[in-house]
Amino acid sequence: MSCLLDLLDDALIGSAARAALEAVDAEGAPLTLTFGQLETRSNCVAAALSARGLVAGDRLGIFLLNRVEIIDLWLATVKLGLIAVPTNVLYRERELRHIVSDAEPKAVVTTPDLAAHLPPGTAAWNVDDIMREARALEGATRPIVSLDADAPAALIYTSGTTGAAKGAILTHDNFTANARTIVEAWRISDADRFLCALPLFHVHGLGNGIHAWLASGCHMKLVERFEGARAESLFLQYEPTLFFGVPTMYVRLLELPAASAVAIGRHARLFVSGSAPLPPHVLESFRECYGHAILERYGMTETLMNAGNPYDGDRRAGTVGRAFRGVDIRIRDESGLDMPDTTSGELWVRGPNVCKGYWRRADATAASFVDGWFRTGDLGTRDVDGYITLQGRRSELIISGGFNIYPREIEELLLEQPGVREATVVGVADKVRGEVPVAYVVSDGQLDDQAIERHLRSQLASFKLPRAFVRVDSLPRTALGKVQKHLLPPWTP
Ligand code: MCA
Ligand code: AMP
């Protein structure tokens, strides 16, 4: 068991003079930092947070676009033993209210424009104020805090089938184990140049991206977000050797001119995909255009990384590869009995990567953890040679561009609308995003689509907005009243 700093100190202290990071500052000016500068900046930020009264175990919300200050704040929370609560910047007041009331952060660090989305009464701290205070504390040394490897480092909210998000309690040891696993499995070294375009409020960007960078001491370029239109110049200028993306990003990369793809592929060493299924045709087209087989892996907020295709050997399209070293994966039936190879069942996971449970949700924790195993809710099979193929989920989760959408949350909002008698939401295949949500509505009479859309937009992150509102006379239901979503009339754009 180890604390995150044990892992990160090789770079922060051991490689202090090395160039670590290229990003832009709050004004958009280029900024380069060494590992040593990251160490001293985060000491000052830790001192500023301490001066504001934060102590180990306090929760601190981080509600920011990908700015370099997230890294300072994250390292400061790690050093102080705080529990960070990184929050999706696309969330709106309703979604944030739940997280803030559940995690009870002492404060949420944000910017004035994003603060406007926080529920009234939230203690919002302006990130620029914190940074100003940190600069005034120049020379601050590391706080002296005795840290336990089993202590929570972050609460990351992930939706449940009820639509109410639950905070997965990720410990120092969870993050450390995960970083060691992927650095070893993907041979990440200080010779790498890592392009990070993933949002840092999810474990893909934070637990894999930031930690793989700091644990390996490689160079990272952090961009605010992935944009298809800017991807070509970004890749050609930075010449990354390493890229982590969601499938939507690879679909966008396939839109680049052939010569650029070849040039990008020539500099690259490894492309990794996760968070949603990578369509086999994307893997094949990418191999043809970029000369690399994307390495697909499988993870979850609650478990960090579970399985991956091999670095050497067959990266098999449509599979998520084998369990990582140190991670046990079993495929079991409803009663918890192991299924034979090639037979479908639910994936149960055990290992140092698995979170401690859900924050203040003993019921949900008890439902998901059985004798030290975590029930993922993902369905799949394992081949005789260990390769796992995911086949969907027990729940109705929709994954759009790598962001999760629970139909129930949208359905509940639709049912509050005047004139909506019944509503259901399904995921419809989409070439770019993988899936998009589409609503089916039974109405009492006239419905104003635009008014409904405006209302939903004010209540939900933009990626959850249904692509269409399809009118139906009734919803197909089982004798017990459950909606049979597969029997709904197909919708095409
Ligand atoms: C999208 N938008 C964003 C971001 N992404 N805003 C801020 N930061 C972002 N990262 C907004 C846009 O402003 C726009 O808003 C809308 O979303 C659609 O953007 P667009 O560029 O048209 O979309 P796209 O080309 O389809 O690309 C979207 C994307 C994005 C960049 C691929 O979906 C994305 O960043 N996905 C990553 C999700 C992720 O990291 N998941 C990891 C979960 P508007 O509609 O208002 O104009 S962790 C996980 O699943 C497990 C553990 C795992 O295995 O990793
Ligand atoms: P999250 O709740 O955001 O942590 O998303 C985790 C879920 O994303 C998993 O339970 C899977 O259903 C899905 N997922 C992650 N990686 C993959 C992958 N490579 N292929 C298919 N689904 C994936």
Side-chain angles (χ1 to χ4, degrees):
M1 300 256 285
S2 10
C3 284
L4 261 167
L5 282 181
D6 300 338
L7 179 78
L8 308 184
D9 274 349
D10 282 351
L12 294 176
I13 309 282
S15 302
R18 274 180 74 91
L21 174 68
E22 191 179 313
V24 288
D25 68 13
E27 276 77 47
L31 175 75
T32 55
L33 294 172
T34 61
F35 288 109
Q37 286 170 317
L38 286 164
E39 165 67 8
T40 50
R41 281 169 67 107
S42 53
N43 286 346
C44 296
V45 173
L49 295 176
S50 280
R52 284 187 175 230
L54 293 184
V55 295
D58 283 344
R59 273 81 60 212
L60 179 68
I62 301 178
F63 184 44
L64 290 169
L65 281 163
N66 273 10
R67 292 173 50 147
V68 68
E69 289 85 357
I70 298 188
I71 297 167
D72 300 323
L73 284 161
W74 173 245
L75 290 175
T77 59
V78 164
K79 289 176 178 182
L80 287 169
L82 305 177
I83 306 175
V85 187
T87 304
N88 192 324
V89 289
L90 297 168
Y91 283 173
R92 293 297 166 253
E93 185 177 326
R94 225 187 92 268
E95 294 146 319
L96 295 166
R97 194 183 311 125
H98 170 70
I99 294 175
V100 168
S101 67
D102 193 63
E104 294 188 312
K106 279 269 167 71
V108 178
V109 183
T110 186
T111 48
D113 53 335
L114 284 173
H117 298 298
L118 288 167
T122 309
W125 289 354
N126 186 333
V127 62
D128 295 328
D129 292 342
I130 307 271
M131 295 302 145
R132 202 171 310 113
E133 290 160 24
R135 279 193 296 276
L137 289 162
E138 198 190 324
T141 51
R142 261 197 198 183
I144 301 172
V145 177
S146 129
L147 286 176
D148 184 349
D150 208 23
L155 298 183
I156 305 202
Y157 279 77
T158 174
S159 297
T161 41
T162 56
K166 304 184 289 282
I169 307 170
L170 289 157
T171 65
H172 279 253
D173 194 54
N174 292 148
F175 280 121
T176 309
N178 181 68
R180 289 208 168 106
T181 298
I182 62 173
V183 166
E184 180 195 303
W186 302 338
R187 316 266 167 92
I188 305 172
S189 76
D190 62 8
D192 274 310
R193 293 171 63 76
F194 168 54
L195 177 59
C196 184
L198 287 158
L200 300 184
F201 45 74
H202 275 317
V203 308
H204 196 166
L206 181 67
N208 283 13
I210 296 299
H211 291 166
W213 160 55
L214 291 171
S216 67
C218 70
H219 191 270
M220 176 172 87
K221 182 175 176 77
L222 177 70
V223 294
E224 191 165 275
R225 49 172 300 221
F226 182 92
E227 284 170 282
R230 295 206 188 152
E232 185 181 13
S233 57
L234 184 64
F235 274 82
L236 289 174
Q237 279 164 22
Y238 183 61
E239 299 182 346
T241 59
L242 181 64
F243 181 73
F244 299 165
V246 297
T248 301
M249 296 177 184
Y250 290 106
V251 173
R252 294 280 184 223
L253 287 176
L254 285 174
E255 293 164 2
L256 302 193
S260 297
V262 170
I264 293 166
R266 201 179 308 123
H267 293 289
R269 180 179 69 78
L270 180 65
F271 293 91
V272 182
S273 175
S275 308
L278 180 72
H281 69 87
V282 174
L283 187 142
E284 290 312 333
S285 307
F286 200 86
R287 197 202 310 261
E288 277 165 31
C289 300
Y290 285 76
H292 289 265
I294 300 169
L295 188 157
E296 183 171 10
R297 57 68 182 169
Y298 158 59
M300 273 187 98
T301 301
E302 292 92 330
T303 64
L304 305 172
M305 298 305 110
N306 295 319
N309 273 281
Y311 188 82
D312 294 317
D314 188 14
R315 297 185 193 160
R316 218 173 276 172
T319 82
V320 294
R322 301 195 191 93
F324 282 122
R325 193 199 301 270
V327 179
D328 285 343
I329 301 182
R330 294 279 173 82
I331 305 217
R332 293 182 160 164
D333 70 7
E334 267 299 310
S335 64
L337 279 180
D338 287 318
M339 307 298 286
D341 285 341
T342 74
T343 309
S344 183
E346 181 184 354
L347 278 73
W348 294 40
V349 178
R350 188 174 67 174
N353 52 316
V354 177
C355 77
K356 241 182 157 165
Y358 296 111
W359 180 253
R360 293 180 178 164
R361 287 293 305 273
D363 55 337
T365 303
S368 295
F369 289 81
V370 182
D371 298 333
W373 291 88
F374 175 72
R375 300 183 60 160
T376 64
D378 286 316
L379 304 174
T381 57
R382 188 190 338 240
D383 233 324
V384 282
D385 54 5
Y387 280 71
I388 293 166
T389 303
L390 296 180
Q391 296 171 315
R393 293 183 55 87
R394 281 195 313 163
S395 72
E396 294 163 342
L397 173 70
I398 299 168
I399 306 183
S400 189
F403 287 126
N404 286 1
I405 304 170
Y406 276 90
R408 177 84 176 266
E409 186 185 14
I410 309 169
E411 289 162 4
E412 282 169 5
L413 275 175
L414 283 169
L415 287 169
E416 290 168 9
Q417 297 305 298
V420 174
R421 189 145 45 92
E422 293 181 84
T424 194
V425 172
V426 296
V428 171
D430 180 81
K431 256 194 2 240
V432 176
R433 301 249 172 93
E435 287 179 291
V436 289
V438 168
Y440 287 77
V441 180
V442 181
S443 73
D444 277 337
Q446 286 285 310
L447 276 190
D448 181 348
D449 278 12
Q450 282 174 352
I452 295 183
E453 196 176 314
R454 265 199 310 277
H455 179 70
L456 259 49
R457 204 177 263 286
S458 70
Q459 302 284 309
L460 294 171
S462 56
F463 58 87
K464 298 181 189 170
L465 198 76
R467 189 61 72 83
F469 298 91
V470 183
R471 295 295 143 67
V472 285
D473 294 333
S474 62
L475 297 180
R477 290 186 185 270
T478 63
L480 293 173
K482 190 174 162 16
V483 178
Q484 294 172 295
K485 296 193 175 189
H486 61 286
L487 296 182
L488 288 162
W491 172 81
T492 39

